[in-house]
Amino acid sequence: MASTPTTATHVWPLGTTLSADGVLVLGGCDAQDLAREFGTPAYIVVEEDLRRRARRFLEAFAQRHADAEVHFASKAFPCTAVLRVFAQEGLACDVASGGELHLALAAGFDPARIHLHGNAKTEAELQAALDAGVADIVVDNLDELAVLERLVGAGRRQRILLRVAPGVSPDTHPHISTGGPNTKFGFNLHDARTAIARVEASDRLDLDGLHFHIGSQILDLEPFRAALEAVARLGTFRTINMGGGLGVPYTHEGSAPSIEDYVERKVDLVHEILGPGVRIADEPGRSLVATSTVTLYTVQSVKHNVSTWVGVDGGMSDNLRPMLYGARYEAVVVGRPLPDPTDPTVAHIAGKHCESSDVIVHDALLAEARPGDVIAVPMTGAYGHAMANTYNGQPRPPVVFVGDGRARVVVRRETYADLTSRDVANA
Ligand SMILES: Cc1ncc(COP(=O)(O)O)c(C=O)c1O
């Protein structure tokens, strides 16, 4: 029987179709064909999804505030091709290490649109940022301030922001909550006053503004008010950067504020608390990239212990989030009829690694899977490739861009030879 393409729910990238008999089309490409051509596991990225989200952020700010800049938090998907898409779309870029700075420059970002972060930046990273001519450095602590003043040197000036911990914890997993009173990130309010006085007296540093980032996967926007009110007590400067954090719905029952609601709330808060003349910077990561990507795996084994365990050829080497903080995903068996939600087969999708925690989806509502089947897990664009590793000597997956029925590899699959490529001969 021919399948009727249906528009898939919000967990799938823009333009995806998923039929009742499990035919999955991503960026106009059949998922079975992609798995055959590029192998599995593989990250399949719908390029248009990335572009559309970047435009939505830019338009949402442009409609509400004259002076705003959207920075892609590159840690969410530190891949040159992804960064290049966002540079082309007119975003700026937040980097949190020398390596991310290298990627942003390789992707073609104008250094004047790159912003350096980090709670323990090395002197070499600060120097690299100064040499590149980045827009600003978001200073995290008093030690860094002293090093930076020394590196900038007499007769030169560097623009900075101060990262402040506003003492506010959003309702998210503790591992991705960053703005509470006892955090490793940023100045507490007392030290922030000391830092402001020090920078104001400096002949080398220009204080452009304040920054805070209270956490990630934020679904309730309310804590931004308390955070901004706390930071506003330090004074009003040219720029306020309220970090990123907008959450995304990882499963079809999930919901999250839209990009437009998030931008509106942040802009309204700035207008109310700091006034309309302030420059606003924002640093979305997850909400720009999560939905763009689907990871394809191949089933290697199916066993029935107390539960049904479907073993696939990837796992915590390509997606650490379920193991780090219990993140939930859902999955489909490509090419098998979608399960009846009233009578589902429930199975755990297990990774191949030597850890019991290596389970990609617990209690997945899944069609009966068999070895050789392709499993697709949506919503893997954020912090998937970013945290990929080679545990058990597993080569990292390729990144494949799809659109208009065409597919191209933008990061090749790692090889066994890559795994030994850093070995020093005769060591
Ligand atoms: C300073 C900073 N800005 C922005 C982000 C991006 O956050 P998200 O991916 O939740 O939007 C992070 C993430 O940890 C961050 O540390």
Side-chain angles (χ1 to χ4, degrees), residues 201-224:
S202 169
D203 59 357
R204 302 172 188 194
L205 302 177
D206 290 322
L207 181 57
D208 190 54
L210 302 179
H211 171 283
F212 64 84
H213 171 75
I214 55 175
S216 202
Q217 186 56 9
I218 293 173
L219 300 175
D220 170 11
L221 302 175
E222 228 14 72
F224 285 114

Side-chain angles (χ1 to χ4, degrees), residues 83-390:
L83 285 156
R84 191 172 295 120
V85 163
F86 290 138
Q88 288 166 353
E89 292 297 332
L91 300 191
C93 186
D94 136 17
V95 298
S97 69
E100 286 181 2
L101 172 62
H102 174 76
L103 291 173
L105 293 171
F109 270 103
D110 177 352
R113 305 206 71 203
I114 297 177
H115 308 263
L116 179 69
H117 272 284
N119 66 303
K121 303 175 188 79
T122 65
E123 205 168 306
E125 287 173 321
L126 289 168
Q127 188 63 59
L130 293 173
D131 292 345
V134 298
D136 52 54
I137 294 173
V138 184
V139 175
D140 176 274
N141 56 73
L142 291 168
D143 296 317
E144 181 187 338
L145 203 54
V147 174
L148 190 58
E149 273 215 279
R150 173 166 54 76
L151 293 179
V152 169
R156 295 186 52 203
R157 302 192 72 87
Q158 174 62 43
R159 210 166 76 181
I160 66 163
L161 277 80
L162 299 178
R163 177 165 181 170
V164 179
V168 171
S169 303
D171 184 16
T172 190
H173 193 284
H175 293 183
I176 47 175
S177 175
T178 53
N182 193 19
T183 172
K184 70 171 190 166
F185 296 105
F187 292 93
N188 63 45
L189 295 169
H190 174 267
D191 285 351
R193 286 195 180 86
T194 308
I196 290 169
R198 210 178 274 181
V199 180
E200 282 175 347
S202 169
D203 59 357
R204 302 172 188 194
L205 302 177
D206 290 322
L207 181 57
D208 190 54
L210 302 179
H211 171 283
F212 64 84
H213 171 75
I214 55 175
S216 202
Q217 186 56 9
I218 293 173
L219 300 175
D220 170 11
L221 302 175
E222 228 14 72
F224 285 114
R225 169 181 288 280
L228 185 58
E229 283 172 347
V231 169
R233 287 199 280 276
L234 296 169
T236 302
F237 300 87
R238 184 178 87 115
T239 299
I240 183 75
N241 184 330
M242 287 186 285
L246 175 59
V248 294
Y250 278 97
T251 59
H252 72 274
E253 307 101 353
S255 65
S258 67
I259 289 172
E260 291 73 17
D261 287 348
Y262 163 88
V263 170
E264 182 174 26
R265 174 60 60 90
K266 281 188 155 178
V267 171
D268 285 353
L269 284 173
V270 173
H271 288 180
E272 181 192 325
I273 296 167
L274 298 174
V278 178
R279 180 160 198 273
I280 302 179
D282 205 70
E283 292 170 345
R286 183 190 311 275
S287 53
L288 277 167
V289 295
T291 319
S292 66
T293 302
V294 174
T295 307
L296 299 181
Y297 300 99
T298 302
V299 175
Q300 306 299 319
S301 63
V302 179
K303 68 179 74 157
H304 305 280
N305 289 339
V306 176
S307 311
T308 298
W309 293 88
V310 175
V312 299
D313 52 357
M316 63 196 296
S317 51
D318 57 77
N319 188 355
L320 259 185
R321 296 187 64 257
M323 304 84 203
L324 274 184
Y325 29 75
R328 291 276 314 158
Y329 289 87
E330 58 190 35
V332 298
V333 184
V334 177
R336 301 232 177 260
L338 300 182
D340 175 355
T342 60
D343 181 21
T345 308
V346 175
H348 304 315
I349 302 179
K352 65 177 290 170
H353 297 285
C354 303
E355 293 269 339
S356 292
S357 67
D358 180 32
V359 178
I360 301 163
V361 190
H362 279 277
D363 296 320
L365 305 185
L366 217 58
E368 201 181 321
R370 294 174 212 157
D373 281 347
V374 173
I375 296 232
V377 178
M379 299 294 296
T380 55
Y383 306 103
H385 166 85
M387 296 190 194
N389 59 81
T390 57

Side-chain angles (χ1 to χ4, degrees), residues 6-136:
T6 54
T7 306
T9 69
H10 60 249
V11 297
W12 298 96
L14 192 71
T16 298
T17 59
L18 175 61
S19 71
D21 50 5
V23 175
L24 176 65
V25 178
L26 302 166
C29 301
D30 184 280
Q32 298 265 27
D33 295 342
L34 292 169
R36 248 190 307 273
E37 185 172 352
F38 301 106
T40 58
Y43 302 114
I44 308 298
V45 180
V46 174
E47 184 176 346
E48 194 53 28
D49 195 283
L50 298 173
R51 293 188 184 278
R52 189 69 72 84
R53 278 167 195 276
R55 286 176 206 154
R56 281 177 62 190
F57 265 104
L58 290 172
E59 279 161 22
F61 272 108
Q63 280 168 13
R64 292 169 179 86
H65 192 76
D67 193 4
E69 189 174 55
V70 180
H71 308 176
F72 170 47
S74 61
K75 71 201 72 172
F77 203 154
C79 163
T80 322
V82 171
L83 285 156
R84 191 172 295 120
V85 163
F86 290 138
Q88 288 166 353
E89 292 297 332
L91 300 191
C93 186
D94 136 17
V95 298
S97 69
E100 286 181 2
L101 172 62
H102 174 76
L103 291 173
L105 293 171
F109 270 103
D110 177 352
R113 305 206 71 203
I114 297 177
H115 308 263
L116 179 69
H117 272 284
N119 66 303
K121 303 175 188 79
T122 65
E123 205 168 306
E125 287 173 321
L126 289 168
Q127 188 63 59
L130 293 173
D131 292 345
V134 298
D136 52 54

